[in-house]
Amino acid sequence: MDYEPVIGLETHVQLKTKSKMWCGCANAFGAPPNTNVCPVCLGLPGVLPVANEEALRLTALTGLLLNCTVSRHAKFDRKNYFYPDMPKNYQITQYDKPSTMNGSVEFEFGAGMARVRITRAHLEEDVGKNFHFDRTSGVDFNRAGVPLMEIVSEPDLTSADMAYEYLNALKDILVYGGVSDCDMEKGMVRCDVNVSVRPRGRKELGAKIEIKNMNSFSGVRRALEYEIPRQIETLEKGGKLIQSTRRWDDVAAVTEEMRTKEHAHDYRYFPEPDLMPFQPTAAWLQEVSRRVVELPLARKQRFMRDYQLPASDAQTFVWDAALGNYFEGIAKQAKNPKAAANWVINNLRAKLAESGVALGDLKFQPGAILELIELVDSGKISGKIAQDVFAETFATGDAPARIVEKKSLAQVSDTGAIEKFCEQAIMANPGPAADYRAGKMAALNFLKGQVMKLSKGKANPALVGEVLERKLKG
Ligand code: ADP
Ligand code: MG
Ligand code: ZN
């Protein structure tokens, strides 16, 4: 039988706030264990949470970026369970009235586009981190109470690759929106992967199996590449799948069962009594909506359309937004935006990397790149000389035209001068000249090279070719 996978992802993202969700402790990574803590995030008795407004704003902003409805009446709930990294013994989250609902993400997939519906994006808090040493265990509560957003997708994903692309698209959007740095190394994005299989064409979903706590996108893809065939094989052998939770063992590259899934009622959700429901005003939402940015995909498509760039250049300008903004600053005046993109991507970016200079600290005006392109297009200097001129412009801030002038780098297009160089080259190299006359075309390139040398690279190469041929034939 032919089976199809069905995948839904629950993605947890740490929000980019200065302080934690319910207290003033720093939301920072890498501090010594248990130094960013206070009675609130340690769950000591008698304390009260105060919601971090920026986290509420970032969640609403995410809703807008993901085409969700932002709720005018959201609330917080307690999700009760015991785990050593969670000192309150409950997590504050949003259960039945989340901040945002019913959105979608569009992304490039294969040769076309894919769209995944978003069930909800809600706000909750992160937990601490357990460490297991040789004979003891420890808990670091620095992460406890860090604002965490959970983005739940509908089961619209149909392959491991699609899940991977969706996660990357989601990450790009969140980074663009300034919602999260999404630094995977720092564990800022983690996801639970829900996957089932069903006979192709059937409506009902198969038993949902959840792979918990994945911390890399490639891990998600690999786990799915293992889990999907495992489920199909189980069914084909006549076995049954039941709703359960598994973990991914990255070293053995297998998933293994942890437990059969708890149900919602096990958590004894109830409204958080220490927090008011959150009812944003129209003015508050208006303020948040001002922070909506152009999405990465829209930017890519716009760069391709408005500046006739190939997809790869446009993608470079999406990933390196600052470089893209710089490009846009000159592209509007450029006669040939593609040439400007080449200079920015191939030359400027390389110089920035090699010198360690920041884009904001350039010594020259952006217009210098256009000037350089004009110098090449008009035949004033060769592409090769242009590279040297750019290096000098980059180092000194001098305008390209000035450098060309000062160093007399202008291409020699004066036929008289070129004729002289050609005559000299032919005289000095009778062998190659004879070869050319005998029909060896390659000899012409050699002679051309000699002329270029004599002119110190300044002769107009096209003209040199013409004059040489004329002289050799004549
Ligand atoms: P729970 O209440 O157990 O968290 P949900 O219904 O909220 O389950 O779904 C959690 C995630 O699992 C969502 O991303 C959803 O799209 C996905 N999902 C639900 N049912 C299935 C299924 N049968 N197969 C694959 N994914 C599923
Ligand atoms: Mg869930
Ligand atoms: Zn605290």
Side-chain angles (χ1 to χ4, degrees):
M1 202 187 303
D2 189 18
Y3 287 92
E4 68 174 357
V6 174
I7 303 158
L9 299 178
E10 296 164 280
T11 311
H12 292 91
V13 183
Q14 282 186 356
L15 296 178
K16 192 174 174 171
T17 57
K18 290 204 177 72
S19 55
K20 290 190 184 180
M21 189 61 225
W22 317 115
C23 60
C25 291
N27 172 9
F29 179 89
N34 298 306
T35 53
N36 291 329
V37 293
C38 75
V40 174
C41 54
L42 287 175
L44 300 187
V47 296
L48 286 172
V50 177
N52 181 329
E53 194 177 359
E54 177 63 2
L56 289 163
R57 283 191 213 105
L58 291 175
T59 305
L61 175 59
T62 301
L64 296 176
L65 295 173
L66 302 183
N67 305 304
C68 292
T69 307
V70 179
S71 174
R72 297 295 293 271
H73 183 110
K75 79 180 208 318
F76 290 100
D77 301 275
R78 282 191 186 181
K79 181 181 184 181
N80 297 280
Y81 64 99
F82 171 83
Y83 211 64
D85 59 15
M86 196 177 61
K88 296 199 295 276
N89 287 342
Y90 60 83
Q91 181 191 30
I92 302 178
T93 180
Q94 296 183 312
Y95 184 51
D96 55 341
K97 292 197 181 312
S99 281
T100 81
M101 276 172 295
N102 301 329
S104 62
V105 175
E106 268 194 58
F107 54 100
E108 292 174 306
F109 180 57
M113 299 293 300
R115 183 171 174 275
V116 168
R117 289 168 300 154
I118 298 297
T119 316
R120 57 196 277 161
H122 71 246
L123 188 52
E124 54 188 42
E125 58 180 323
D126 212 340
V127 295
K129 209 172 167 179
N130 294 331
F131 289 89
H132 302 291
F133 309 110
D134 280 351
R135 316 188 57 136
T136 56
S137 288
V139 195
D140 176 8
F141 288 112
N142 284 347
R143 201 178 68 180
V146 161
L148 198 65
M149 192 174 54
E150 177 172 340
I151 300 166
V152 182
S153 85
E154 289 290 305
D156 288 348
L157 298 151
T158 53
S159 71
D161 285 336
M162 191 178 177
Y164 181 80
E165 293 303 332
Y166 159 79
L167 285 169
N168 277 300
L170 187 62
K171 174 184 163 183
D172 287 350
I173 291 171
L174 297 173
V175 170
Y176 253 65
V179 170
S180 171
D181 287 332
C182 291
D183 190 333
M184 311 295 293
E185 309 278 284
K186 296 180 181 168
M188 289 180 186
V189 184
R190 278 117 52 198
C191 71
D192 301 333
V193 179
N194 301 274
V195 52
S196 60
V197 298
R198 63 179 168 192
R200 197 173 293 281
R202 181 178 298 174
K203 266 247 139 56
E204 306 92 84
L205 296 174
K208 182 185 80 172
I209 288 173
E210 180 170 9
I211 310 166
K212 275 277 182 209
N213 231 339
M214 304 292 308
N215 54 20
S216 82
F217 297 168
S218 55
V220 168
R221 182 161 61 184
R222 291 202 297 138
L224 283 167
E225 280 165 355
Y226 171 85
E227 180 63 17
I228 293 166
R230 185 194 73 83
Q231 291 187 15
I232 293 173
E233 204 173 303
T234 305
L235 293 181
E236 283 190 327
K237 281 189 185 145
K240 237 178 101 72
L241 292 165
I242 53 163
Q243 184 167 325
S244 55
T245 301
R246 301 176 74 86
R247 65 180 281 276
W248 169 245
D249 181 334
D250 201 57
V251 178
V254 297
T255 61
E256 53 198 28
E257 185 160 293
M258 288 163 72
R259 57 177 182 264
T260 49
K261 174 82 176 154
E262 63 287 293
H263 290 281
H265 58 254
D266 295 338
Y267 291 125
R268 310 282 310 216
Y269 281 102
F270 65 84
E272 168 58 58
D274 291 341
L275 289 163
M276 295 292 284
F278 179 58
Q279 295 174 293
T281 62
W284 190 92
L285 287 170
Q286 184 66 38
E287 198 59 41
V288 170
S289 70
R290 286 207 196 100
R291 293 167 71 172
V292 168
V293 294
E294 181 184 36
L295 294 187
L297 180 63
R299 180 174 167 95
K300 179 173 176 183
Q301 290 168 339
R302 185 170 59 79
F303 272 59
M304 291 172 70
R305 188 184 60 235
D306 289 2
Y307 307 117
Q308 298 88 47
L309 297 185
S312 57
D313 286 1
Q315 189 64 60
T316 300
F317 290 142
V318 168
W319 281 329
D320 192 337
L323 200 70
N325 293 343
Y326 184 91
F327 164 76
E328 271 218 285
I330 54 175
K332 296 208 174 85
Q333 291 103 268
K335 273 188 234 135
N336 179 357
K338 171 60 183 152
N342 289 347
W343 275 97
V344 170
I345 293 173
N346 301 332
N347 299 72
L348 175 59
R349 191 168 59 157
K351 279 272 169 231
L352 290 168
E354 140 199 332
S355 64
V357 171
L359 200 51
D361 299 334
L362 290 179
K363 291 193 179 144
F364 62 91
Q365 296 300 313
I369 290 182
L370 296 180
E371 196 176 306
L372 207 52
I373 293 171
E374 186 55 36
L375 286 167
V376 176
D377 284 355
S378 65
K380 200 107 191 240
I381 58 173
S382 68
K384 188 168 170 316
I385 297 245
Q387 307 274 340
D388 302 339
V389 173
F390 179 69
E392 181 149 349
T393 295
F394 186 89
T396 64
D398 279 352
R402 262 204 53 174
I403 296 170
V404 169
E405 181 90 8
K406 200 174 64 189
K407 300 201 153 177
S408 5
L409 294 172
Q411 202 155 254
V412 178
S413 296
D414 152 21
T415 347
I418 289 181
E419 302 238 355
K420 260 201 207 115
F421 288 136
C422 290
E423 278 159 22
Q424 259 178 282
I426 293 169
M427 295 266 272
N429 300 282
D435 285 351
Y436 176 79
R437 290 194 183 102
K440 265 200 198 160
M441 289 312 187
L444 187 68
N445 280 335
F446 172 80
L447 290 169
K448 247 187 182 176
Q450 296 307 303
V451 174
M452 293 311 286
K453 239 187 223 164
L454 288 168
S455 75
K456 301 202 170 64
K458 288 188 285 182
N460 180 324
L463 226 67
V464 171
E466 272 170 43
V467 173
L468 269 178
E469 272 186 86
R470 179 155 47 73
K471 292 212 174 287
L472 288 165
K473 281 180 185 152

